[in-house]
Structure formats: structure tokens, C-alpha cells
Amino acid sequence: MHSIERLTALLMLAALAAPASDPIITSDRADGFRGIWFTLGQFSEYGDKYSGGLGTYTAKHIPLAVYAPEANKTFFTYGGTTGPRDTYLLIMAGAYDHDTHIVTRPTIVHDKEGVNDPHDNASIALDGDGHVWIFISGRGRARMGYKYRSLEPYNIDAFEQIVEQEMTYPQPWYIEGKGFLHCFTKYTAGRELYWESSPDGVTWTEDQKLAGMGGHYQTSRERDGRVITAFNYHPGGNVDLRTNLYYVETDELGETWRTADGTVLETPLESTQNPALIRDYEAEGRLVYVKDINFDADGHPVILIVTSAHHQPGPIGDPRWWTLVRWNGSEWEFQEVTQTTHNYDMGSLYFEGDGTWRMIIPSEPGPQPHGTGGEMALWISHDDGATWTKERMITSDSPHNHMYARRPINAHPDFYAFWADGNPDTLSESHLYFTDKEGETVWHLPYDMPEPVMEPQPWQPLRAPQFLSNVTPHPAGHPIVWRAGELTYTDREVRLTELPRFFDGAYGIQTSQNHGRSARDDEYLSFDVAEESHVFVAYSTRQRRSSIPNWLADTFMDTGVEIRVEGSVAPFRRLYRRTFPKGRVTLGGNLAEGVREGDDGGATYFVLVVPARPWLFTRQPEDAMVQAGETHTLVVEAADTTADLTYQWHHNGRPVANGTSPELVLDSVAPEHEGLYDCVVTDKDAGLQYHSSQAYVSVMNP
């Protein structure tokens, strides 16, 4: 008997001997498909390292959807939330019925109880009996992972929690007649790769380490009992230096691992220069972001990666290449297909029976051009990947970037890719979509479901004129998307010379000072907003002592923030803010009551409009590996530096004594310091609380 078989038998006996406990059953439904929005909080000149609608994040959660021909349904999982202004993570399961073209309300498989981080998203699998399995990621040893199984085959009505264990980035593969092989990550000495197996999903072998060279991110795929995986490595445990590309495979549930040419490997892999190495990108000074892996028609592995010059967003990382890495039976071939705008752009790779190679990727710049994702495009090759053609744009004119297009297992032509959208620059709603094989129709999963069963509708982008519309009167008001350098008025050459990052790309209105209605109190300018919004009036005074109209003084809050313009005798515009509900907004005139006589130009203004959502953090706590005895500092910074803020740090969910400043200093780090840290920042004036992202601190023995 093999050692793994012996261990499985022992585990089964232990399970039989263990006392029974009440099962944990989950069956609550959400009233819509609402994706989680997230920002990492690691900002540089061109924004956060990654952020946006991350319901189908990460590339290391595989698979996220699977088609079951027995039920003619596609089952899927995603990171959901409770509402449009919330970042409260719920692990969701959904099902699309191909016979009826309907979805039921999604099931809340697991409530992450305040976690806002989609690193805790889940993966999905179907076992041989048709039960739906949801493998939920944890985060190190502070947040455990979970395995859930549906109570009924091909059904998402209710799930039972089967296993609680340490695991991150789950990649479960069910192999007919053998059971599960599960590839995953543990935070041991960095993000190290492990595997385990199980005949039934209930009893599992002990964790076996596959690779430990400072840390790794991997992607994997299974076909006919053969599991293939590709991964990078993190020099010194630093994910911002991720590089190199490795490949291994097994057809024995992990008993033996081999390279593409059949060389048997000794695991765990601990040296960066080992037979699994495909290409030494570290020597070339290139970073490697692993996206997808699949089998070509000959059963050879093909890997999709993005290579980059730098870990930060923006031009510093250019050129970033969507790159295919293919084993041709004797050697690895490399093909750069097209460039992309962001390291965390992610899509999927397909191989079809007629020889077509297909990619669905966010290769085109989106409305937030330096943020995660972009516009989705369909790329086709008919010569085994030698040349590629962009067949069509799948999305265009979108209000927010589309990101993380995922390929279902056994993908049905009507549900060929699945993804989310969101604004990488500011908290936004995140909607979920799927498209057909040809990318001809994008279907929008209903964000709100007043009925328990609904049909997805063809997606129509919410363009800017729909968000901010019906501006009257003309030409007093003209809608615009604000960028530095834009004219602020329709009747003079005054331009923005600078714009805080929070407002870059915001919608707004240029005005005309000399319009005949500008002296009115009640209705100089009116417009519609598609959702609750902060309206900022950028008000100009020729002199600091100038007066402002009563409608502005009485109903708007002075933020204390000023932005600079050129072409005017008054070089600054002071920002006043008021929150309006969805619907009609009416502003008074620039010469209305309250302006002192002689201040004839004293209330010239233009308008900026942003969704009424919390300000962002410009810096968030970061994961770290710290040697015992050293000092380590966690930092959080808020974008709104004018607000009256208080801070409270938490360690594993409990308040830290004296942790009441933007910096938390851990002196003489010891094992009890290990775990998850986050900070709750309170805006005392607004009466609102904001939660930072969570960071995991690992304590290393000297």
C-alpha cells in the first residue's frame, strides 16, 4: 500500500472515531449579483497597484465556474457583497440554467464576517455525484479556509461545511474514479505551494509541499487525470519581484511530479535553478504574472502570462506583453501576442476542436486607463498561436473597467467567460457578466433581484451622459469628464492646472458666468444624477474676503480644499460639498442673494460630481515576514487629510492597546505578534468609519 493510501486509511479511521458535531448548513440567498470592490492601498503616481471590481479575482483561484451537461447548468462562484457602498465579503454560489436562460438568487455559502479582502474568494468543483464544492480561501493561519459541499447534486440551495483548514488560493481538481487533487498555498516561509488529495472530499491526506523558493503564484488545469501547473517565484519573499516561469505535472494525484519532458522531480523544489525552470526571466530583468494554463489539441501545455518591467502601474512597467508559452513536444516556444496596460489584467485561454485558439482578455484600455482591467476583446489564432487577430471588441464605451475574465470548465458556448467590472480609482458598484463563445452578446447578471428567478439581460454600458444627464439650461451648463488642463467655463479661457487624484476622471459641469439666469437663487443650474452623489462646487473669489451666495453658505460644507487654475485673476477654486440623493440636483446662481455689492464676480463656479462613497486610503498596511526580535511598523494613510480622523488598529479582530495613530509599531516582534492587522479610521465630522485592508504579519525564527 502506498504511503498516501495508508495515511488516508488512518484519517478515515480517525474521522469515524471523532465525536459527531452539528453540521454547519448555509442556505441564505442574496437579492442580486453584487461583486466585491477592493483596493490594495499601495499607491504610486498612477494609482493603486491593483483595485476595482474583484469578484472573480485572483488568477490563483481556479476554477471559478464549471458547466454540468447532466443538468445543462453552469455553476459559478464569486466574491459578493451586501450593497453598492459596501465592501463586506460574502462567498457566493450561482447557477445559470441554459434551458430556460434564468438565474436564481445566488446562495451565500459563507459570510466572511467583516473581511473586505477578495484574496478570500473561493473556487468551485463538481464531484462524481454532481455535488457542488466550494473551496474558500483563507489568509495564512489567522483566517482559515473552508470546504463546503452542496446538500443535493447539481443544486445550490444549501451547503454543508465539510472541512476547516489552513489554505489560500485553492485549486481543486476532481478526477473521475480517484477523487480530488487540491493544489493550494500556505504562508509558511513565504507563499509556498502545497497539494493534498482525497477520495471523497471529506478525508484528506496531509499537506505536501511542492515548491518553496521564497514564494510562488501558480495556475493549474486538469484533463483525463493529468494535472498541470505553472508558477513564478518571489525573490526573498517579495511579490513585487515575482519572476521566472516553472512548469510541473502529475498523473498520480501528486505521488510523482514531472517536467514537460518527463523528468521526475524531487519535491519540494527549493532551488531556483531546477529542471522545472522554463525561462530565467530574473536574468532578463522581467517580472512574470501568471494568468492561465490549458492543453492544446495534442495535450501539450500552453501557459498565458503577462511580463512587465515594474510592479507599479503606469508607463514605468511598459512594455507589458500578453505572452504565450507553449511546449511543442520537445522544447518551449514563446510568443508575444499584444501589449496590455496593467500587470493585473487577467483573461483566459481556449483550445477548440476545429483547431481554433482563442483568448478573452482585457487587452484594450478602459475608461480608467491606468487601473486594473480595461475593455474585453476576443483574440483568435488559426495557426497554433503563431499569429493572432483581434476578432472583435466584446465591451466598449464602458463606465468602468472590466477585469478577470474566467473560463468555465467544460465551457458551454453560451457561457464562455465570466467576469466583473468596477472603477479602479474609487469605490463603485461591481457588476457581473458572462459572454458567449463568439463574444457577440454580453449578459448582465441582475444586480438587484426583486424576484427569486430572473433572466440576465443584454449588457448596455452606463455612459457618462446617463450618470450625469439633463443639464439645464444650455449653454449655462455643459457636462464634462474632468482632467487636468480642461476648461472650467464655457465662456472664458480658464483651465485646471492641477486636480487631486480623487477627482481625476470625475464627471462634472462647466458653467457660464455671464448667463442671464446667474443671479437667481432657486434654479440657475439643474441636472440629474443616476445615484446618490457628492456634488462639489468649485467656487472662485477674486479676493479672499469676497462673499459667497446664501444657497452655498447655508447648504454646502466648506471642505477647506482648494484647486489651482490658470487664466484667471483668482488662481484658486475652493471646494464646497453637499450630498444629493439620486435624482434632480438644483444649484443657485453665481450672483445670487448673499453676495455683497461690488463682488460682481465673487461666485463664479464649476461643478464636480462623484458617487457618494467613502474616500480611499492612499496607503494601507502590507503583508510582511519579520524576523523575531526586530521592529516592524504598519502604516495607514487617508486621502482626506483635512478630515478630523481617529484611528484604531486591530490584531486578529481585537483592538490593540495604544494602537490609535496612523502607525502601529511592533517592538521586539515575537510569535504572539503573528496574524492579521487592520485599522478602523473614523471621520468624526461625517460620523463614518472606514476599514483598511488586512495585512498578515509572519514571524520568522532567527
Side-chain angles (χ1 to χ4, degrees):
M1 180 183 289
H2 291 298
S3 60
I4 289 180
E5 292 173 335
R6 289 196 299 272
L7 181 58
T8 299
L10 290 172
L11 289 170
M12 292 178 68
L13 289 173
L16 291 172
S21 59
D22 293 334
I24 298 175
I25 307 296
T26 58
S27 59
D28 289 343
R29 300 275 187 157
D31 59 353
F33 290 84
R34 305 182 185 105
I36 187 73
W37 185 96
F38 178 72
T39 180
L40 184 65
Q42 297 181 22
F43 290 90
S44 56
E45 180 181 1
Y46 289 90
D48 201 353
K49 188 166 78 170
Y50 56 86
S51 54
L54 298 181
T56 56
Y57 177 81
T58 71
K60 288 88 66 181
H61 291 74
I62 308 168
L64 261 65
V66 57
Y67 171 66
E70 297 85 353
N72 202 21
K73 293 181 180 179
T74 294
F75 297 93
F76 54 93
T77 184
Y78 65 95
T81 192
T82 47
R85 296 181 60 185
D86 300 333
T87 56
Y88 185 104
L89 181 62
L90 301 171
I91 305 303
M92 311 299 298
Y96 171 72
D97 190 319
H98 292 267
D99 288 329
T100 60
H101 184 57
I102 62 169
V103 290
T104 58
R105 287 173 175 163
T107 301
I108 303 171
V109 179
H110 187 82
D111 184 335
K112 294 298 289 190
E113 298 182 342
V115 172
N116 68 350
D117 186 351
H119 287 93
D120 284 28
N121 282 352
S123 301
I124 195 169
L126 290 181
D127 66 20
D129 295 324
H131 288 98
V132 181
W133 287 79
I134 305 294
F135 285 58
I136 301 171
S137 180
R139 191 76 163 166
R141 291 182 288 276
R143 291 203 307 261
M144 300 300 284
Y146 302 91
K147 297 167 185 169
Y148 281 80
R149 180 181 62 194
S150 65
L151 294 187
E152 299 294 334
Y154 308 114
N155 188 289
I156 62 166
D157 287 347
F159 288 83
E160 179 182 1
Q161 186 185 118
I162 303 299
V163 176
E164 177 181 346
Q165 71 176 88
E166 179 187 353
M167 65 176 185
T168 305
Y169 307 131
Q171 301 182 18
W173 301 107
Y174 184 79
I175 300 169
E176 191 65 38
K178 295 184 178 180
F180 287 97
L181 176 66
H182 180 212
C183 302
F184 62 103
T185 297
K186 292 174 70 172
Y187 285 69
T188 41
R191 297 159 173 83
E192 297 187 310
L193 303 183
Y194 286 78
W195 84 90
E196 61 180 350
S197 62
S198 170
D200 55 9
V202 179
T203 58
W204 291 83
T205 63
E206 66 180 2
D207 303 341
Q208 300 287 320
K209 187 187 294 187
L210 176 61
M213 298 176 266
H216 311 273
Y217 288 140
Q218 73 173 339
T219 183
S220 61
R221 182 78 163 88
E222 183 272 337
R223 190 171 80 181
D224 298 331
R226 180 177 163 217
V227 174
I228 60 177
T229 182
F231 51 93
N232 55 23
Y233 102 99
H234 310 157
N238 189 342
V239 298
D240 290 338
L241 300 178
R242 67 189 73 182
T243 189
N244 285 3
L245 186 62
Y246 300 85
Y247 170 86
V248 300
E249 63 176 69
T250 181
D251 57 6
E252 299 173 318
L253 291 180
E255 282 282 321
T256 305
W257 292 89
R258 298 180 174 84
T259 63
D261 66 5
T263 300
V264 176
L265 296 165
E266 182 177 343
T267 58
L269 302 173
E270 295 179 331
S271 170
T272 59
Q273 300 296 315
N274 65 67
L277 177 64
I278 296 174
R279 183 164 171 173
D280 189 346
Y281 279 101
E282 185 175 25
E284 302 173 29
R286 297 289 288 172
L287 305 182
V288 175
Y289 295 79
V290 180
K291 306 301 179 182
D292 197 11
I293 191 171
N294 208 340
F295 297 91
D296 69 11
D298 297 321
H300 296 150
V302 183
I303 308 162
L304 178 62
I305 63 175
V306 166
T307 66
S308 173
H310 201 277
H311 73 276
Q312 292 178 348
I316 193 172
D318 292 337
R320 297 178 176 89
W321 282 101
W322 289 101
T323 303
L324 286 176
V325 183
R326 179 197 185 193
W327 177 254
N328 65 13
S330 59
E331 62 181 0
W332 291 99
E333 299 175 342
F334 300 84
Q335 176 69 39
E336 292 179 336
V337 178
T338 188
Q339 293 191 34
T340 198
T341 59
H342 200 278
N343 295 331
Y344 290 84
D345 291 347
M346 190 275 174
S348 291
L349 178 63
Y350 304 76
F351 298 92
E352 293 156 5
D354 62 357
T356 300
W357 292 27
R358 189 180 305 261
M359 291 193 300
I360 296 176
I361 56 177
S363 59
E364 310 309 302
Q368 294 84 41
H370 296 295
T372 310
E375 298 287 9
M376 289 292 174
L378 173 63
W379 290 76
I380 296 289
S381 173
H382 296 291
D383 55 7
D384 292 341
T387 60
W388 288 83
T389 301
K390 185 173 66 177
E391 188 79 2
R392 65 167 43 90
M393 296 291 297
I394 298 175
T395 66
S396 61
D397 297 319
S398 304
H400 300 145
N401 286 2
H402 298 264
M403 52 198 76
Y404 284 85
R406 313 309 298 268
R407 179 190 67 249
I409 301 303
N410 307 321
H412 188 286
D414 294 340
F415 196 117
Y416 219 57
F418 165 56
W419 71 85
D421 74 354
N423 187 336
D425 297 334
T426 186
L427 177 63
S428 71
E429 291 183 1
S430 177
H431 294 246
L432 293 152
Y433 308 90
F434 63 93
T435 190
D436 56 42
K437 180 177 178 179
E438 302 303 326
E440 293 179 340
T441 304
V442 174
W443 298 96
H444 176 215
L445 291 166
Y447 192 84
D448 294 301
M449 293 188 67
E451 302 297 331
V453 175
M454 292 182 67
E455 289 190 36
Q457 297 299 311
W459 170 70
Q460 296 293 331
L462 178 65
R463 295 178 174 85
Q466 294 176 281
F467 173 81
L468 193 159
S469 59
N470 298 325
V471 178
T472 58
H474 291 287
H478 178 70
I480 191 171
V481 176
W482 289 115
R483 306 284 187 193
E486 294 286 355
L487 288 171
T488 58
Y489 309 109
T490 60
D491 60 350
R492 68 198 61 212
E493 287 287 326
V494 179
R495 295 183 182 274
L496 286 169
T497 57
E498 61 183 13
L499 193 63
R501 192 187 66 83
F502 180 76
F503 294 108
D504 188 31
Y507 303 128
I509 301 172
Q510 300 165 314
T511 61
S512 170
Q513 179 187 12
N514 296 325
H515 190 271
R517 299 176 63 178
S518 62
R520 296 183 56 158
D521 266 320
D522 54 351
E523 192 175 337
Y524 162 52
L525 184 68
S526 296
F527 52 92
D528 290 333
V529 290
E531 60 180 281
E532 183 184 16
S533 299
H534 292 314
V535 174
F536 292 82
V537 171
Y539 156 77
S540 167
T541 56
R542 295 183 185 276
Q543 299 175 343
R544 299 282 182 178
R545 64 179 181 272
S546 297
S547 55
I548 64 175
N550 291 342
W551 66 266
L552 187 61
D554 295 343
T555 63
F556 279 70
M557 184 185 75
D558 184 352
T559 68
V561 176
E562 292 184 331
I563 54 179
R564 183 183 292 272
V565 298
E566 63 180 4
S568 170
V569 295
F572 294 98
R573 299 293 182 269
R574 195 172 184 89
L575 295 180
Y576 292 79
R577 184 185 73 195
R578 179 180 170 186
T579 302
F580 287 84
K582 175 182 177 180
R584 195 72 172 162
V585 174
T586 299
L587 306 179
N590 64 339
L591 295 177
E593 184 176 349
V595 177
R596 291 193 300 266
E597 186 175 353
D599 287 347
D600 59 347
T604 305
Y605 69 83
F606 56 92
V607 180
L608 305 96
V609 184
V610 296
R613 295 159 183 164
W615 40 257
L616 297 176
F617 294 94
T618 55
R619 184 174 178 185
Q620 302 233 41
E622 300 181 17
D623 293 345
M625 292 186 293
V626 184
Q627 290 289 338
E630 292 184 351
T631 297
H632 180 67
T633 302
L634 293 153
V635 180
V636 66
E637 293 178 357
D640 189 349
T641 58
T642 65
D644 185 6
L645 305 178
T646 62
Y647 300 81
Q648 178 59 64
W649 286 90
H650 293 81
H651 178 215
N652 292 334
R654 296 182 178 179
V656 177
N658 300 318
T660 56
S661 69
E663 294 188 354
L664 179 64
V665 179
L666 306 179
D667 291 315
S668 301
V669 170
E672 57 265 27
H673 288 110
E674 183 161 295
L676 285 166
Y677 290 83
D678 66 278
C679 188
V680 177
V681 183
T682 302
D683 183 335
K684 295 173 65 177
D685 292 332
L688 298 173
Q689 286 189 337
Y690 307 109
H691 294 256
S692 76
S693 60
Q694 295 178 312
Y696 190 82
V697 175
S698 298
V699 179
M700 314 297 292
N701 293 322

